[in-house]
Amino acid sequence: LLLNVDAYLSDYRQIPLSQFLPPPLGDGGTIVVNAGHVRITGFEGEFEARLGKGLQLDATLSYLHYDVIDLGQAAGQVGGLTLQSTAPYVPRWQGSVGAQYTLGRADRGSLTLRADVSGRSLVYFDLANTPEAAQPGYLLTSLRLSWADAEDKWSAAFEIANLTDKLYYDKAYTTHYVSVGAGRSALLTLNVKY
């Protein structure tokens, strides 16, 4: 069994923050504003269990709290930071669980089947935390089948990411300016070590 846990506290003064100004707020460019005082606290944890006979389970969990104490030069900026804002592009909660099983013989290499589920909570994409420019929490699932030879020189893997073809946004400025995350995709990789 393996368990890693850490907690952190970051205290920032005059932290520079990028702010995108889509029409009609601006010309579609980005400006940088300095927040007076921001405090970030959180924790992260990793867990791994190797249960023998090739079975492994693992999980991660993280939490982040973003507290704007003083707006500083960012005060009064249209569509900008507020005292209630949370960090853009960063979920408060995120985590994953995974399981893999490896079947192998010393003379023929190993075959590993792995499944992963990862999730994150609500994410805002702007400093003002506009609800229309946010992504609600979601889960993504992936499957992977890999093979490695006995000397670990040759390996191959086939993976299906976003197995359920979940629609999500990885960027959004308004309902008219969005970037869609990757849909279901298949990937074949071949590796050789020399």
Side-chain angles (χ1 to χ4, degrees):
L1 299 177
L2 175 66
L3 176 65
N4 293 319
V5 179
D6 68 78
Y8 55 87
L9 166 64
S10 301
D11 203 63
Y12 294 97
R13 295 184 187 272
Q14 299 301 318
I15 183 173
L17 301 169
S18 296
Q19 179 181 349
F20 177 72
L21 296 177
L25 294 177
D27 60 0
T30 300
I31 63 170
V32 176
V33 295
N34 290 335
H37 189 185
V38 174
R39 181 172 294 139
I40 302 171
T41 55
F43 70 84
E44 300 172 327
E46 298 176 327
F47 172 76
E48 182 179 304
R50 296 186 181 183
L51 305 177
K53 296 186 178 180
L55 180 61
Q56 176 181 317
L57 306 176
D58 50 70
T60 64
L61 179 66
S62 67
Y63 171 81
L64 181 140
H65 180 70
Y66 185 88
D67 187 20
V68 181
I69 298 170
D70 177 30
L71 293 173
Q73 296 173 356
Q77 194 72 36
V78 177
L81 193 68
T82 71
L83 291 174
Q84 292 74 40
S85 292
T86 64
Y89 295 98
V90 181
R92 181 163 287 192
W93 290 97
Q94 59 183 334
S96 65
V97 292
Q100 71 179 41
Y101 182 74
T102 301
L103 179 65
R105 288 176 48 179
D107 59 340
R108 294 188 182 176
S110 61
L111 193 64
T112 301
L113 177 62
R114 180 169 181 86
D116 289 284
V117 177
S118 62
R120 52 176 37 196
S121 61
L122 173 74
V123 175
Y124 290 104
F125 295 114
D126 65 350
L127 295 177
N129 293 173
T130 308
E132 295 79 15
Q135 169 60 57
Y138 62 93
L139 296 174
L140 295 177
T141 305
S142 65
L143 293 176
R144 179 181 173 92
L145 180 64
S146 59
W147 169 84
D149 71 349
E151 291 79 30
D152 199 28
K153 180 179 179 181
W154 296 88
S155 63
F158 177 72
E159 179 177 4
I160 301 176
N162 193 0
L163 183 66
T164 61
D165 204 22
K166 172 70 179 173
L167 175 64
Y168 66 96
Y169 301 117
D170 55 14
K171 290 180 185 174
Y173 303 111
T174 67
T175 54
H176 303 294
Y177 295 87
V178 297
S179 173
V180 178
R184 183 188 301 121
S185 57
L187 180 66
L188 176 64
T189 57
L190 302 172
N191 291 298
V192 61
K193 296 179 183 177
Y194 56 91

